[in-house]
Every structure is written in C-alpha cells, then in structure tokens.
Amino acid sequence: MRSWIATLRGAGMLSLLVLLGACAALPQRGADADLAGIMLVDVTTARHLLEAQVPVIDVRSPEEWAAGHLVAARLAPLDRFPQAVDALGLNPAAPLLVYCRSGNRALKAAVMLVEAGYTSVHVLRPGGFAQLQEVGVPVAVPRS
C-alpha cells in the first residue's frame, strides 16, 4: 500500500512540475504589456479560423517557408517581424492566426502584435505547422 501511495504522490509532483514548466514558457507580462488579446488555440480551432479565412502569419524562417507552408499564410519571419507585418497591411482590429514550427516563435510574435495594438491574435500551440499538415490543411510544398 505504501508503494502505491508513494507512486501516486510522485506522479502528482511530476504533473505539477510539468504544469509549472509549461507556464514558465509563457512570456511574462511587462509593465506596459497588455496580453489580453492573445489566445492560444489548438489545431481544431486553428482549422476553423482558416476556414473562416482569418489572415494567417507564418513566423518561421524563409528556409522553413520554402520547405513548405500553409497555402493561406503570409511570411513574416520573426527576425524581421515588425517590418514584415507592416508590409502586410493587416487590420489590427481583425482576428489573425500566427504559427511557426512549435508555437514558441508564434507566441513571441503575438506579444509584439498585441503591444502594437492588435486585439485578437490566435497562436497555434503546441505542434504548429506539422500538426496542421497532419489534419489536412492545404499546404504548399516544393516539388522534388
């Protein structure tokens, strides 16, 4: 009986550590940052947003983009994000979807967007681009 309780207690602690680690990956709110406009979404919600023709921003590198990207997406690499987004001419009051490979760069981009005045930024987490491919979202891939 003791070993079962110890195992349960250990599993509970492990779950707590995983949860705390996930929370630590989220950006911290700065004194001036209002992150209320960021929504983390799963692949099902992202697919619904794509079907509703919400603008999509891919924040991966040009090399990653060239290897394959969502047909509906527009490229705005994180390393030159503010300039690339300005060039897209998006409406800050309209919803948009941001994705990358894993969701980490997309979350960083979402923080920048909200700080720039965007009010409805959806970030695909976790799994990003690969997960969208798996559910059959239209993807442009290079020919071999």
Side-chain angles (χ1 to χ4, degrees):
M1 179 117 151
R2 277 188 190 267
S3 64
W4 180 81
I5 292 172
T7 301
L8 184 59
R9 195 174 289 155
M13 289 301 291
L14 180 60
S15 297
L16 179 60
L17 289 173
V18 169
L19 178 62
L20 291 174
C23 291
L26 295 176
Q28 300 300 311
R29 291 181 184 210
D32 299 325
D34 176 12
L35 305 180
I38 299 174
M39 288 138 285
L40 302 179
V41 299
D42 62 11
V43 70
T44 303
T45 303
R47 189 174 191 168
H48 291 300
L49 291 167
L50 288 164
E51 290 168 355
Q53 298 182 345
V54 167
V56 182
I57 300 174
D58 183 331
V59 298
R60 298 175 306 147
S61 70
E63 294 79 19
E64 290 172 298
W65 169 270
H69 58 274
L70 298 183
V71 171
R74 296 191 249 172
L75 181 62
L78 190 60
D79 63 345
R80 39 183 205 260
F81 190 72
Q83 303 84 0
V85 168
D86 286 344
L88 297 176
L90 299 169
N91 177 357
L96 60 101
L97 174 64
V98 182
Y99 78 93
C100 63
R101 183 180 48 81
S102 68
N104 293 327
R105 288 175 285 178
L107 190 55
K108 289 176 186 175
V111 170
M112 288 188 253
L113 287 165
V114 168
E115 289 175 344
Y118 286 77
T119 58
S120 182
V121 182
H122 298 82
V123 177
L124 177 61
R125 286 187 56 104
F129 179 65
Q131 199 172 30
L132 288 170
Q133 282 182 290
E134 289 173 12
V135 298
V137 172
V139 175
V141 292
R143 294 185 181 176
S144 305

